[in-house]
Amino acid sequence: MPSQRQLRVGELVRKEVSDILSRGHLADPALEGVIVSVPEVRMTPDLRLASCLVMPLGGQNADKVVDALNRSSRFIRRELSRGWTMKYLPDVRFVLDTRFDDDDRITQLLKRDDVRRDTAHTDSDDDE
């Protein structure tokens, strides 16, 4: 479970990275005209690594976008350093956010007949 400090710093990094990406100053052709959302940033306990979960709008060319963001991570880190007074500025890496795909997969699994039968059987056992 992340500490309060990890959550707070992660939210600061998320906001700043979102602002940097919305300004569109990254000179990578894979990022031209692409809107990227940053729903979450996960910090390591020592606050030296920020894993930014990202998803391009529409999910198109997601792997190319993540690769382009990782290539631009030094520039993004430099932009983060402006105005920050932390002892160590975290390294930034970008990871594709697959949580929505996982949710869809779990929903599909729960809709299967054999799973529905098993969950109905368990519910009737609880009633007794």
Side-chain angles (χ1 to χ4, degrees):
M1 182 115 182
S3 69
Q4 190 67 29
R5 184 173 171 94
Q6 284 174 275
L7 294 173
R8 194 171 56 236
V9 172
E11 183 59 25
L12 286 172
V13 171
R14 187 198 68 76
K15 183 180 181 311
E16 288 297 319
V17 168
S18 294
D19 289 346
I20 292 166
L21 294 177
S22 68
R23 282 182 259 162
H25 293 301
L26 300 177
D28 197 304
L31 298 173
E32 297 262 337
V34 176
I35 298 173
V36 179
S37 66
V38 185
E40 183 180 353
V41 174
R42 296 179 181 163
M43 300 297 298
T44 57
D46 62 358
L47 303 177
R48 290 193 181 217
L49 178 65
S51 297
C52 301
L53 301 177
V54 295
M55 177 57 79
L57 191 63
Q60 299 163 344
N61 300 323
D63 292 331
K64 291 180 183 179
V65 169
V66 170
D67 290 340
L69 288 170
N70 281 317
R71 284 192 302 268
S72 303
S73 65
R74 293 181 73 187
F75 172 78
I76 293 170
R77 185 173 189 255
R78 191 173 336 117
E79 289 292 311
L80 280 175
S81 70
R82 300 173 195 263
W84 279 35
T85 57
M86 290 180 61
K87 185 174 183 178
Y88 299 105
L89 190 66
D91 288 329
V92 181
R93 76 170 179 196
F94 295 92
V95 181
L96 185 62
D97 184 11
T98 60
R99 292 178 299 173
F100 297 114
D101 296 335
D102 295 341
D103 290 345
D104 291 340
R105 185 178 56 81
I106 291 170
T107 302
Q108 293 302 319
L109 284 172
L110 290 173
K111 288 181 179 179
R112 289 183 18 196
D113 290 333
D114 55 337
V115 174
R116 191 176 303 170
R117 182 183 64 238
D118 291 343
T119 57
H121 178 68
T122 318
D123 291 341
S124 64
D125 289 343
D126 292 339
D127 293 339
E128 294 176 2

